[in-house]
Amino acid sequence: MVGISQWIAGMLWKLLIRSQPCRLCSFRKMLSAPKYTPFLASFTYTTDNQSNRENEKTVEKLYKLSVDIRKIRRLKGWVLLEDETYVEEIANILQQLGADETAVASILEHCPEAIICSPPAVNTQRELWQSVCKNKKELVKLIEQFPESFFTVKDQENRKLNVQFFQELGLKNVVISRFLTTASIIFHTPIEKNKQMIKVLQESYLNLGGSEVNMKVWLLKLLSQNPFILLNSSASIKETLEFLQEQGFTNFEILQLLSKLKGFLFQLCPRSIQNSMSFSKNAFKCTDHDLKQLVLKCPALLYYSVPVLEERIQGLLKEGISVAQIRETPKVLELMPQIVQYRVRKLNSLGYRIKDGYLANLNGTKKEFEANFGKIQAKKGRPLFNPVAPLNVEE
């Protein structure tokens, strides 16, 4: 049985962004909000007049560092118009970390805003990042991959307090490093708000029957899988839990759903969950009890929006798979239609008729599917008898 852990980290997150318009909207807007003033951000191309107004010293210093000026002009030309820049100072900080010429040029090309950051502020940021990533070589790689996260130098005291708080909770530095790069928004949240949310999560776990002994492990795993859970409100968490209880789920079952969905469940509003459940009930023509069992087998039924569920089911039906088969193995709904089509064709090439067989062979991650495919392939090619085995011949 395929675990939820691998698909949720990849396709499920993309589907979340695409298909659920509820509580995610608020922090999606924060994630996508411009870090700079609209006026500055409006300079996305170069004209002769703009070129004449560029800071010549800035351009010259960038040329010396082998930075592609054309790329900066095309993407964020407004940076070159700034009167005060710190090209040499920022480059020096990066070089002190061990960044070579190529790395420095790449970082400045992808995040030219770095040259207008105050060197003392960048040094403070460097110290903070080094507190969770001791290896300079690894730190340079992180900065190359996520330069905008590194050069977002506002709220530094709050960021520092949040890092310390996460360390005190028991999160490993490598996990906090990942947060700094891919979930940096949670460090801009006031420290008191993050502390409050952690308390709410702990209380919710205990109220659902979790034990004090296991609470820390559960919480750290939940945070490491989905740090964005901290962007929720205590009211929304309470609302979601009450809704699931009203649907007949026991406390133990709700804990299971939370763990399997990595806390993303809290980022869905009851209305969207209700819509998805109603659609599934009609599509599979099942009772409330049967629907609950389907959800426990495939928690994504709560998570996916109605259009996504409809697309998945239609894709399976087109391949000759029946509704009854889907009900028996609902986790097949975790696969995108294109993946289903590819896997069905591949199995058909071996003479395996998926509509007459067990859908578990269609399921799983790419690695798991390839392993199962290899076993079926080996079985198909196996001789009817063992040519090296002794023959029982009557004399």
Side-chain angles (χ1 to χ4, degrees):
M1 188 174 182
V2 183
I4 206 90
S5 58
Q6 298 193 38
W7 62 266
I8 198 77
M11 289 179 283
L12 192 55
W13 173 254
K14 294 178 181 177
L15 284 165
L16 170 66
I17 296 299
R18 184 183 72 180
S19 63
Q20 293 291 358
C22 301
R23 293 181 187 127
L24 293 172
C25 295
S26 59
F27 72 83
R28 281 214 310 269
K29 290 176 182 177
M30 287 187 283
L31 282 170
S32 60
K35 299 182 179 68
Y36 307 96
T37 63
F39 172 75
L40 292 177
S42 66
F43 289 104
T44 56
Y45 62 93
T46 303
T47 64
D48 291 338
N49 289 334
Q50 179 181 332
S51 181
N52 292 334
R53 290 185 280 113
E54 286 178 354
N55 186 323
E56 293 182 4
K57 290 184 179 179
T58 298
V59 173
E60 184 180 343
K61 291 174 182 177
L62 289 171
Y63 268 128
K64 287 182 179 179
L65 292 170
S66 302
V67 175
D68 188 342
I69 306 296
R70 291 172 301 177
K71 183 179 291 186
I72 295 178
R73 285 176 178 151
R74 185 170 64 252
L75 300 177
K76 296 178 181 178
W78 60 267
V79 173
L80 302 176
L81 308 179
E82 293 293 307
D83 293 329
E84 189 173 9
T85 58
Y86 307 96
V87 178
E88 294 172 334
E89 293 87 342
I90 300 303
N92 185 50
I93 292 173
L94 294 172
Q95 289 163 353
Q96 287 176 1
L97 286 173
D100 57 21
E101 181 180 327
T102 302
V104 171
S106 174
I107 291 169
L108 296 183
E109 285 170 6
H110 289 89
C111 185
E113 306 96 313
I115 65 173
I116 61 174
C117 293
S118 161
V122 175
N123 270 319
T124 300
Q125 184 83 313
R126 178 188 64 178
E127 291 171 3
L128 179 64
W129 282 47
Q130 281 187 297
S131 70
V132 294
C133 184
K134 311 291 184 183
N135 188 303
K136 288 186 177 181
K137 188 175 181 180
E138 291 179 5
L139 181 55
V140 170
K141 286 183 179 179
L142 285 178
I143 298 173
E144 274 194 90
Q145 290 177 312
F146 306 95
E148 290 189 358
S149 295
F150 181 76
F151 288 106
T152 301
V153 293
K154 62 180 181 179
D155 301 327
Q156 288 188 307
E157 184 60 29
N158 189 63
R159 290 164 70 91
K160 181 179 179 181
L161 291 173
N162 273 313
V163 167
Q164 292 172 348
F165 174 58
F166 292 141
Q167 289 174 326
E168 290 166 3
L169 277 178
L171 284 170
K172 294 181 179 179
N173 283 338
V174 65
V175 176
I176 300 175
S177 296
R178 178 160 54 83
F179 288 178
L180 283 169
T181 55
T182 61
S184 59
I185 189 172
I186 66 173
F187 293 93
H188 299 302
T189 303
I191 179 68
E192 293 305 322
K193 168 68 164 54
N194 282 337
K195 285 184 176 181
Q196 180 190 10
M197 281 308 306
I198 291 297
K199 184 178 179 181
V200 169
L201 290 171
Q202 291 171 331
E203 289 175 350
S204 298
Y205 177 77
L206 294 176
N207 291 337
L208 289 170
S211 67
E212 287 271 7
V213 177
N214 297 327
M215 182 175 67
K216 181 178 179 180
V217 173
W218 177 83
L219 178 64
L220 295 183
K221 185 176 182 181
L222 192 67
L223 285 175
S224 64
Q225 292 172 333
N226 177 21
F228 297 107
I229 197 172
L230 294 174
L231 300 178
N232 292 320
S233 68
S234 56
S236 67
I237 288 180
K238 182 180 178 181
E239 183 184 22
T240 301
L241 292 178
E242 289 178 349
F243 173 78
L244 291 173
Q245 289 168 336
E246 290 169 1
Q247 301 306 306
F249 291 97
T250 66
N251 288 343
F252 177 74
E253 289 169 344
I254 294 174
L255 272 181
Q256 280 186 308
L257 293 174
L258 281 175
S259 297
K260 289 181 178 179
L261 285 175
K262 307 184 190 316
F264 285 108
L265 191 61
F266 286 144
Q267 290 163 205
L268 307 176
C269 63
R271 179 172 52 82
S272 69
I273 298 176
Q274 181 65 70
N275 289 341
S276 296
M277 290 182 68
S278 297
F279 174 82
S280 297
K281 183 179 179 180
N282 292 330
F284 296 116
K285 296 178 173 56
C286 58
T287 64
D288 289 339
H289 177 268
D290 291 337
L291 176 62
K292 194 174 82 167
Q293 297 308 309
L294 281 175
V295 169
L296 292 173
K297 284 183 181 179
C298 180
L301 286 173
L302 297 180
Y303 190 87
Y304 291 145
S305 66
V306 171
V308 171
L309 287 172
E310 192 170 19
E311 180 189 34
R312 298 290 172 90
I313 293 174
Q314 288 300 320
L316 291 166
L317 295 178
K318 285 180 182 177
E319 297 301 327
I321 298 167
S322 67
V323 172
Q325 283 179 295
I326 302 173
R327 279 190 61 173
E328 185 181 352
T329 314
K331 287 180 72 63
V332 74
L333 291 168
E334 294 169 8
L335 301 174
M336 295 176 67
Q338 298 89 332
I339 295 176
V340 169
Q341 189 179 55
Y342 167 77
R343 292 184 180 184
V344 168
R345 299 291 181 273
K346 198 163 183 180
L347 289 168
N348 284 344
S349 69
L350 296 179
Y352 186 93
R353 290 172 58 84
I354 194 70
K355 63 180 181 179
D356 298 329
Y358 187 44
L359 289 191
N361 290 321
L362 194 65
N363 253 338
T365 62
K366 180 180 180 181
K367 184 177 180 180
E368 290 167 337
F369 171 75
E370 293 299 339
N372 285 333
F373 180 79
K375 290 177 183 178
I376 297 173
Q377 192 174 36
K379 188 176 181 180
K380 289 287 183 183
R382 188 177 297 160
L384 296 178
F385 67 96
N386 188 341
V388 298
L391 295 176
N392 294 322
V393 181
E394 294 183 3
E395 293 183 358

